[in-house]
């Protein structure tokens, strides 16, 4: 059932038989609710686009730093840790200032979400550990070039990071 149908079903459950007439015109309150639903969808779509744009920039920072460090002779594991940290710092800054700006303030009356940095670091450390394990597996066990291994691992960790950021790190506080 689509979001619109769920909304209509929820609204119709509480109506009398007379109000369920399919030709009835929505009240101003119902029209306002529909407008709010559309506004929320637009906001979520914009946030999704911004998150992905920031993600592309973070990935570019991560790849650039990794490539530079490995090219300079640093082992790929410390290179991954340092490059991931650079991308992570950029991610926190850009997602806080651009993508999810005001998420805490909207729900908490302007109060800052003090747990967000801890959740962000926790998520990113977990994703870093996954990336290190996968990088080691693809490089050492499968013998893949460290740059190609980085590309394969990034495809997996981007998804993990998005899910964790959207539904845990930057989730609106109640």
């Amino acid at each position: 059932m689509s979001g619109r149908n769920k909304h209509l079903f929820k609204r119709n459950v509480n109506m009398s038989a007379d109000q369920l007439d399919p030709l009835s015109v929505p009240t101003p309150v119902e029209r306002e609710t529909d407008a709010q639903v559309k506004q929320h969808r637009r906001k979520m779509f914009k946030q999704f686009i911004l998150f992905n744009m920031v993600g592309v920039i973070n990935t570019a920072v991560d790849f650039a730093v990794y490539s530079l460090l490995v090219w300079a002779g640093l082992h790929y594991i410390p290179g991954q840790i340092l490059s991931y940290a650079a991308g992570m710092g950029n991610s926190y800054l850009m997602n806080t200032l651009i993508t999810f700006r005001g998420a805490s303030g909207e729900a908490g009356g302007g109060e800052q979400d003090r747990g967000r940095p801890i959740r962000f670091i926790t998520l990113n450390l977990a994703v870093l550990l996954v990336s290190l394990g996968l990088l080691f597996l693809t490089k050492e066990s499968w013998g893949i070039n460290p740059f190609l291994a980085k590309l394969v691992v990034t495809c997996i960790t981007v998804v993990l990071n998005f899910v964790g950021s959207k539904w845990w790190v930057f989730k609106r506080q109640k």
Side-chain angles (χ1 to χ4, degrees):
M1 186 181 300
S2 74
R4 169 114 173 104
N5 290 340
K6 284 181 188 176
H7 171 70
L8 291 173
F9 176 77
K10 207 180 222 182
R11 186 177 74 202
N12 290 340
V13 167
N14 297 322
M15 294 181 158
S16 68
D18 293 337
Q19 292 172 312
L20 290 175
D21 178 10
L23 300 176
S24 68
V25 177
T27 66
V29 171
E30 290 168 341
R31 274 188 237 123
E32 184 179 323
T33 302
D34 289 341
Q36 289 172 340
V37 168
K38 288 177 185 176
Q39 182 181 10
H40 179 70
R41 285 182 183 159
R42 279 193 299 272
K43 182 180 176 185
M44 292 298 293
F45 182 72
K46 179 182 175 186
Q47 194 175 57
F48 177 76
I49 297 299
L50 287 172
F51 185 89
N52 285 296
M53 290 170 59
V54 167
V56 167
I57 294 168
N58 299 336
T59 302
V61 168
D62 183 10
F63 265 92
V65 172
Y66 179 81
S67 297
L68 180 65
L69 294 173
V70 171
W71 175 80
L74 188 64
H75 189 266
Y76 68 92
I77 293 291
Q80 170 66 3
I81 293 169
L82 293 172
S83 69
Y84 193 88
M88 188 173 101
N90 186 68
S91 175
Y92 185 78
L93 182 65
M94 291 184 76
N95 279 314
T96 298
L97 296 175
I98 299 170
T99 309
F100 299 106
R101 90 179 143 195
S104 294
E106 289 173 9
E111 239 176 82
Q112 291 296 321
D113 178 2
R114 292 189 180 109
R116 181 185 295 162
I118 293 169
R119 291 190 307 272
F120 183 84
I121 291 168
T122 301
L123 171 67
N124 278 279
L125 286 175
V127 173
L128 175 61
L129 290 174
V130 169
S131 75
L132 290 172
L134 291 173
L135 194 59
F136 180 80
L137 176 71
T138 56
K139 168 75 174 82
E140 300 299 329
S141 297
W142 298 347
I144 296 177
N145 171 295
F147 299 103
L148 182 58
K150 172 74 171 169
L151 181 63
V152 170
V153 169
T154 298
C155 290
I156 296 166
T157 58
V158 161
V159 173
L160 294 174
N161 210 333
F162 172 76
V163 170
S165 292
K166 177 70 181 157
W167 286 286
W168 187 50
V169 174
F170 293 100
K171 183 178 180 179
R172 186 183 301 177
Q173 298 301 302
K174 295 181 180 184

